[in-house]
């Protein structure tokens, strides 16, 4: 009996050696990015980027490598459903495709406007795809974007993933919420989805043209606040702005300011640069490092009103207007600091107002005002507000209160003036 | 009379019941998936916990009044030979049902999430074999294994919850109890029906030491497992949202697969899956043991081990053929069918046994008799 038990234990130990099925890694090909588009006939187009780790290891740019040794390659296939399209990639592959290592999921503007519910259904249902994947809408040709060159990484998917998930560096755009957050936003009553946008810059293979993109929607790309809304012409792909959805359909673009405002209102902003008018002349750059917002709702006499309270915390990063004879801001002076804080609060308030205006215009509640009503006033929501929410949204009274704090002047107590 | 050569500590029974209950209820989270409680599923968990504690007290309390006897013995004593044997057969079927269904749920998980190309019989036979092996060795090794598994089980579940915590969003739990109690109650009955596992107490009581703490250990398992399940379901809804959570086939697995605690730590679902496997071993082998013991008593076979292999084969066959696919498996637990089935096959017999016990007790008091 002990022998049987020992044999059984040995068999179980063999079954627990890491690889849990009969698929050999050598027989598989790993997709690292997945994109979906739709063609004129209404067929789905799946575009997958595959990594070639052996080639990527050398760090040689693809252009200087012999054919077949590029660090990645991109394939596409069509199908009547997203899964069909994905499965139709297989006939062109000599190995079994696996999508368990996907880093990013990209959706073309055209498909986003048509509706992304079938894509989300596939992703949530599939046993390989994970909801930790970063998602974005592509403004431009999706395949060209996936084939773009990124100086930072030999495999574009990795660069795109890092672009969408900035950790320590300053990024004014909407960070990718990840598919879990995206699906939760789509399913939550009174809440719509906001996805980041990747823009294929002109000259980098864009077919749809960038003039209709989120950047062009910016009304003041070079205003006094920051470079939000400006693009980097030297780079093939820029992560700027957002795509607003109503239920599963994309309604329109948000520029950098509007995206930032939406993120401020939803507490999803991080490490954002804001430049404000200095009380002493010139501009003061502030690194906003922390934002906490609450959206509360009131229901009086049949009318819903909303209050957005944002607490913003940042530190001074630099200033201009330090020409001869100019001393810059005196950070020891409480009045100057108060003015500066007030300017920062005003700037944040304006961004939130821009986002709100776009939300009303598109009738897309990406800030989640309706969800605040649903959570705080469930009786009113069920009594009819919920059914009529998108009719009410353009006229709902919204107050915005911003409290700003400057935590430090950086490593200088006073400005350097020469 | 049970052969009481084997003994297990009350602590070990608590561990077995806790893991058995937690495993199956974490697997497909019926608090969320079988009713309409949605974001208030945690409240359904608390109500279920309260009711399960009463059930645990009812089952253990009756068993405590007949020391040294199994449920097969005292059901015959209380209900008469024929009805008692019928009840014992139904309870034996419960052991078969629980073991087979738990194993099938695990096999479906392995097929859906990890090994889509592996035939389901492979997982079913492997787990049924393990459960049979455990039962063959007896309740003492099962108890010691449960003792050893419990810290790992608890740590893995806790680590999965901790890993998911950064993705927790309190907004997903709001509004709180806004729709009243009716939707909450709709989610109570299936998890309560799964409390059928507590019928194993009727078979295990004669083996428990010390006698003074037996009821307490059974009730403690109900309280602890219910508290953990309420926490799990609250975290789960906070992470996935009520809608995605309730529409998932295996919400706990879905949650673990949907989070990435850090850039370097990901794919934490293996923790939950291993915990589930450990719990399934403890639960499955206990059920095969109890089922074999009950059948051996009914059939008057002195050595229960003669029944164990047969019972193991029955478990594997039942697991494979009672449910055509995952749809049917999910459908089986859907209210009102499942809770009604359990109420009729377990609730009614226990109510009859309690009624008979009280009648006997009152009768004895009236006639001035003493003792049990």
């Amino acid at each position: 009996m002990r022998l049987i038990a020992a044999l059984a234990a040995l068999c179980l130990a063999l079954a627990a050696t890491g690889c849990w099925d009969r698929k050999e890694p050598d027989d598989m090909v790993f997709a690292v990015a997945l994109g979906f588009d739709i063609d004129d006939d209404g067929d789905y187009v799946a575009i997958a980027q595959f990594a070639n780790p052996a080639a990527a290891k050398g760090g040689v740019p693809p252009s200087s490598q012999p054919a077949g040794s590029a660090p990645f390659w991109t394939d596409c296939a069509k199908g009547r459903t997203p899964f069909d399209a994905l499965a139709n990639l297989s006939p062109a592959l000599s190995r079994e495709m696996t999508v368990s290592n996907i880093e990013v999921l990209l959706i073309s503007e055209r498909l986003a406007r048509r509706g992304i519910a079938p894509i989300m259904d596939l992703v949530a249902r599939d046993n390989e795809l994970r909801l930790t994947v970063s998602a974005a809408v592509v403004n431009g040709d999706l395949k060209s974007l996936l084939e773009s060159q990124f100086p930072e990484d030999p495999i574009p998917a990795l660069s795109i993933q890092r672009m969408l998930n900035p950790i320590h560096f300053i990024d004014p755009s909407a960070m990718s919420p990840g598919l879990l957050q995206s699906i939760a936003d789509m399913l939550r009553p009174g809440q719509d989805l906001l996805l980041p946008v990747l823009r294929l810059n002109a000259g980098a293979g864009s077919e749809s043209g960038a003039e209709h993109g989120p950047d062009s929607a910016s009304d003041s790309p070079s205003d006094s606040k920051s470079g939000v809304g400006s693009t980097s012409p030297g780079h093939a792909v820029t992560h700027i702005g957002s795509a607003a959805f109503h239920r599963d359909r994309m309604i329109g673009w948000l520029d950098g300011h509007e995206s930032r405002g939406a993120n401020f209102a939803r507490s999803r902003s991080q490490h954002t640069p804001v430049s404000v008018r200095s009380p002493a002349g010139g501009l003061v750059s502030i690194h906003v490092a922390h934002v906490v917002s609450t959206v509360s709702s009131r229901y009086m006499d049949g009318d819903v009103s909303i209050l957005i309270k944002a607490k913003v915390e940042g530190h001074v990063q630099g200033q201009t207007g330090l020409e001869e004879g100019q001393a810059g801001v005196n950070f020891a002076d409480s009045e100057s600091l108060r003015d500066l804080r007030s300017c920062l609060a005003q700037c944040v308030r304006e961004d939130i107002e821009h986002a709100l205006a776009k939300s009303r215009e598109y009738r897309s509640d990406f800030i989640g005002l309706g969800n605040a009503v649903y959570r705080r006033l469930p009786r009113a929501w069920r009594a009819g507000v919920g059914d009529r929410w998108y009719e009410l949204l353009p006229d709902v009274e919204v107050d915005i209160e911003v409290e700003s704090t400057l935590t430090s002047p950086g490593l200088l107590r006073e400005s350097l003036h020469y | 009379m049970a052969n009481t050569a084997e003994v297990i500590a009350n602590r070990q029974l608590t561990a077995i019941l806790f893991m058995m209950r937690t495993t199956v209820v974490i697997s497909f989270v019926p608090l969320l998936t079988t009713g309409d409680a949605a974001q208030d599923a945690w409240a359904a968990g608390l109500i279920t916990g309260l009711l399960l504690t009463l059930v645990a007290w009812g089952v253990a309390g009756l068993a405590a009044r007949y020391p040294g006897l199994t449920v097969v013995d005292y059901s015959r004593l209380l209900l008469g030979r024929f009805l008692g044997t019928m009840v014992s057969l139904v309870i034996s079927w419960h052991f078969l049902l629980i073991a087979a269904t738990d194993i099938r749920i695990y096999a479906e998980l392995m097929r859906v999430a990890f090994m889509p190309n592996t035939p389901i019989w492979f997982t079913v036979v492997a787990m049924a074999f393990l459960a049979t092996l455990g039962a063959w060795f007896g309740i003492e090794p099962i108890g010691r294994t449960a003792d050893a598994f419990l810290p790992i089980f608890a740590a893995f579940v806790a680590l999965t919850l901790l890993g998911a915590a950064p993705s927790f969003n309190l907004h997903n739990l709001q509004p709180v109890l806004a729709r009243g109690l009716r939707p909450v109650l709709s989610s109570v009955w299936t998890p309560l029906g799964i409390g059928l596992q507590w019928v194993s107490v009727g078979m295990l009581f004669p083996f428990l030491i010390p006698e003074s703490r037996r009821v307490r250990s059974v009730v403690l398992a109900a309280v602890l497992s219910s508290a953990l399940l309420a926490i799990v379901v609250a975290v789960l809804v906070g992470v996935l949202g009520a809608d995605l959570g309730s529409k998932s086939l295996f919400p706990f697995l879905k949650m673990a697969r949907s989070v990435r605690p850090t850039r370097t730590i990901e794919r934490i679902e293996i923790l939950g899956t291993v915990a589930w496997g450990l719990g399934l071993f403890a639960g499955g082998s206990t059920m095969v043991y109890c089922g074999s013991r009950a059948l051996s008593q009914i059939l008057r076979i002195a050595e229960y081990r003669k029944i164990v292999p047969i019972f193991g084969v029955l478990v594997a066959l039942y697991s494979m053929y009672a449910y055509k696919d995952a749809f049917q498996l999910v459908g089986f637990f859907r209210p009102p069918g499942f809770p009604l089935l359990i109420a009729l096959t377990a609730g009614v017999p226990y109510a009859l046994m309690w009624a008979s016990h009280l009648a006997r007790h009152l009768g004895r008091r009236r006639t001035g008799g003493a003792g049990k």
Side-chain angles (χ1 to χ4, degrees):
Chain A
M1 199 61 223
R2 286 186 180 174
L3 183 66
I4 294 172
L7 284 174
L10 190 65
C11 291
L12 289 169
L14 285 174
T17 51
C19 294
W20 55 50
D21 58 19
R22 59 193 165 87
K23 289 180 184 173
E24 285 291 336
D26 283 349
D27 295 335
M28 295 161 85
V29 58
F30 296 89
V32 285
L34 196 57
F36 283 101
D37 198 352
I38 197 158
D39 71 4
D40 294 336
D41 301 327
D43 284 343
Y44 288 91
V45 182
I47 302 157
Q49 181 163 97
F50 300 96
N52 182 3
K57 212 162 59 175
V60 186
S63 53
S64 60
Q65 287 179 336
S69 62
F72 69 90
W73 76 97
T74 307
D75 264 352
C76 62
K78 287 182 187 180
R80 287 181 304 161
T81 67
F83 183 72
D84 270 355
L86 199 57
N88 287 340
L89 287 164
S90 292
L93 299 169
S94 59
R95 300 181 184 197
E96 185 178 341
M97 180 178 72
T98 175
V99 289
S100 60
N101 290 70
I102 291 287
E103 294 282 345
V104 285
L105 177 75
L106 303 177
I107 296 162
S108 72
E109 179 192 350
R110 189 174 181 180
L111 177 57
R113 288 190 186 275
R114 177 88 169 251
I116 60 170
I119 307 296
M120 294 303 191
D121 185 83
L122 172 73
V123 173
R125 208 178 282 276
D126 193 89
N127 73 320
E128 287 189 353
L129 286 165
R130 284 165 183 270
L131 301 186
T132 51
V133 168
S134 304
V137 173
V138 172
N139 176 229
D141 183 57
L142 207 160
K143 190 162 187 284
S144 303
L145 183 136
L146 275 175
E147 288 172 341
S148 302
Q149 300 288 314
F150 290 82
E152 302 93 337
D153 285 296
I155 301 170
L158 301 179
S159 278
I160 293 169
Q161 198 272 342
R162 290 189 177 109
M163 259 183 169
L164 294 172
N165 292 282
I167 292 185
H168 296 303
F169 56 89
I170 295 178
D171 191 326
S173 305
M175 70 176 289
S176 175
L179 280 175
L180 174 61
Q181 187 69 59
S182 305
I183 291 175
D185 282 351
M186 285 170 71
L187 293 173
R188 207 172 279 148
Q191 173 98 48
D192 284 307
L193 177 61
L194 194 66
L195 279 181
V197 171
L198 289 174
R199 182 186 173 198
L200 187 63
N201 290 327
S206 171
E207 286 174 6
S208 61
E211 64 274 14
H212 302 301
D215 180 41
S216 61
S218 172
D219 41 5
S220 55
S222 57
D223 64 10
S224 62
K225 293 164 199 160
S226 72
V228 179
S230 64
T231 59
S232 312
H235 291 86
V237 177
T238 319
H239 168 214
I240 198 93
S242 308
F245 284 72
H246 178 60
R247 298 205 166 89
D248 78 315
R249 291 182 183 217
M250 179 183 155
I251 302 295
W253 303 110
L254 266 66
D255 68 16
H257 285 302
E258 292 152 357
S259 293
R260 196 169 68 174
N263 283 346
F264 281 145
R266 302 186 308 167
S267 300
R268 289 186 189 169
S269 199
Q270 59 163 6
H271 299 282
T272 306
V274 176
S275 295
V276 299
R277 288 268 169 224
S278 160
L283 294 169
V284 174
S285 288
I286 296 166
H287 179 162
V288 173
H290 193 59
V291 182
V292 179
S293 302
T294 53
V295 181
S296 51
S297 51
R298 278 168 296 177
Y299 188 64
M300 284 182 72
D301 306 326
D303 289 327
V304 175
S305 61
I306 306 279
L307 173 65
I308 300 175
K309 273 187 179 175
K311 285 186 179 175
V312 183
E313 204 177 280
H315 56 263
V316 177
Q317 278 291 106
Q319 60 178 322
T320 63
L322 298 173
E323 295 82 8
E324 198 175 340
Q326 300 289 318
V329 180
N330 179 5
F331 293 108
D333 177 28
S334 58
E335 198 168 325
S336 299
L337 272 178
R338 197 169 54 243
D339 286 349
L340 210 51
R341 280 198 294 264
S342 163
C343 288
L344 174 61
Q346 180 58 25
C347 180
V348 171
R349 187 180 299 110
E350 281 174 15
D351 278 350
I352 295 175
E353 281 168 356
H354 288 150
L356 191 60
K358 226 34 169 199
S359 172
R360 293 181 199 271
E361 181 191 332
Y362 290 154
R363 297 201 179 194
S364 161
D365 193 359
F366 48 78
I367 295 177
L369 305 182
N371 189 252
V373 180
Y374 166 75
R375 287 184 290 109
R376 305 283 177 99
L377 304 166
R379 280 187 189 165
W381 184 261
R382 283 203 310 276
V385 172
D387 295 334
R388 294 182 295 121
W389 178 246
Y390 288 100
E391 293 165 32
L392 299 173
L393 181 61
D395 303 313
V396 166
E397 184 192 330
V398 181
D399 294 320
I400 302 166
E401 287 178 11
V402 182
E403 186 186 320
S404 63
T405 311
L406 286 174
T407 53
S408 80
L411 291 177
L412 283 178
R413 278 191 301 110
E414 291 178 27
S415 307
L416 303 176
H417 42 92
Y418 307 96
Chain B
M1 283 285 278
N3 171 14
T4 49
E6 293 186 285
V7 285
I8 58 168
N10 290 308
R11 182 194 68 252
Q12 290 172 332
L13 179 68
T14 305
I16 290 171
L17 290 173
F18 174 80
M19 284 198 285
M20 199 192 314
R21 166 81 176 163
T22 312
T23 297
V24 69
V25 184
I26 277 183
S27 63
F28 70 108
V29 198
L31 287 167
L32 191 59
T33 55
T34 60
D36 191 28
Q39 71 271 16
D40 298 323
W42 59 269
L46 293 179
I47 296 172
T48 307
L50 194 67
L51 295 175
L52 181 69
T53 306
L54 289 176
V55 167
W57 180 84
V59 172
L62 188 63
R65 279 157 177 81
Y66 297 92
L69 300 185
T70 66
V71 66
V72 176
D73 299 317
Y74 58 77
S75 64
R76 285 168 171 173
L77 198 69
L78 291 169
L79 303 175
R81 186 147 200 92
F82 177 75
L83 199 55
T85 304
M86 287 297 112
V87 165
S88 302
L89 279 171
V90 169
I91 288 175
S92 303
W93 172 72
H94 286 154
F95 297 131
L96 178 69
L97 173 78
I98 296 166
T101 308
D102 288 3
I103 287 174
R104 181 58 187 259
I105 295 171
Y106 190 71
E108 287 293 344
L109 164 96
M110 297 308 280
R111 179 164 71 171
V112 169
F114 297 104
M115 302 189 291
N117 299 322
T118 305
I120 201 141
W121 64 260
F122 179 82
T123 319
V124 166
V125 169
M127 294 313 292
F129 174 70
L130 270 182
T132 309
L133 204 62
W136 178 278
F137 285 129
I139 195 65
E140 281 185 359
I142 295 172
R144 285 198 293 271
T145 313
D147 249 351
F149 282 175
L150 185 66
I152 306 170
F153 180 88
F156 281 8
V157 172
L159 284 172
T160 308
L161 294 178
L162 276 177
S167 305
F168 183 86
N169 184 351
L170 192 61
H171 290 178
N172 288 337
L173 290 166
Q174 295 172 325
V176 178
L177 299 174
R179 295 171 301 153
L181 271 183
R182 187 173 288 186
V184 175
L185 289 175
S186 72
S187 291
V188 163
W189 308 120
T190 296
L192 187 63
I194 294 171
L196 176 70
Q197 293 157 326
W198 259 250
V199 295
S200 59
V201 168
M203 289 305 298
L204 298 178
F205 240 56
F207 308 109
L208 289 178
I209 52 163
E211 284 190 12
S212 57
R213 292 186 196 156
R214 292 183 304 184
V215 176
R216 198 188 303 168
S217 66
V218 173
V219 171
L220 182 67
V223 171
L224 289 178
S225 58
S226 301
L228 178 66
L229 292 172
I231 294 169
V232 164
V233 83
V235 173
L236 208 146
V237 172
V239 173
L240 291 183
D243 213 347
L244 181 59
S246 62
K247 285 172 182 165
S248 298
L249 186 60
F250 298 113
F252 192 74
L253 177 83
K254 185 85 189 163
M255 177 185 76
R257 287 173 65 93
S258 303
V259 297
R260 181 188 273 174
T262 70
R263 283 203 175 192
T264 46
I265 301 172
E266 54 178 340
R267 309 198 176 219
I268 58 169
E269 72 267 24
I270 196 64
L271 298 174
T273 310
V274 170
W276 192 347
L278 299 179
L280 183 61
F281 172 77
S285 50
T286 305
M287 287 301 147
V288 174
Y289 177 82
C290 291
S292 305
R293 274 242 177 240
L295 277 181
S296 67
Q297 273 192 275
I298 295 167
L299 300 172
R300 298 182 183 208
I301 298 169
E303 176 54 76
Y304 85 95
R305 283 191 176 87
K306 288 180 182 169
I307 302 288
V308 169
I310 300 163
F311 202 87
V313 170
L314 283 176
V315 166
L317 290 174
Y318 196 104
S319 186
M320 274 191 288
Y321 296 109
Y323 311 101
K324 246 192 316 187
D325 44 40
F327 299 105
Q328 201 177 13
L329 187 62
V330 170
F332 172 70
F333 286 101
R334 203 164 286 146
F338 175 74
L340 272 179
L341 176 76
I342 302 307
L344 284 174
T345 60
V348 170
Y350 262 93
L352 287 176
M353 283 193 279
W354 260 109
S356 172
H357 168 77
L358 291 174
R360 283 161 60 100
H361 186 68
L362 288 174
R364 244 187 244 123
R365 281 182 70 177
R366 223 173 269 152
T367 55
K372 290 186 169 89

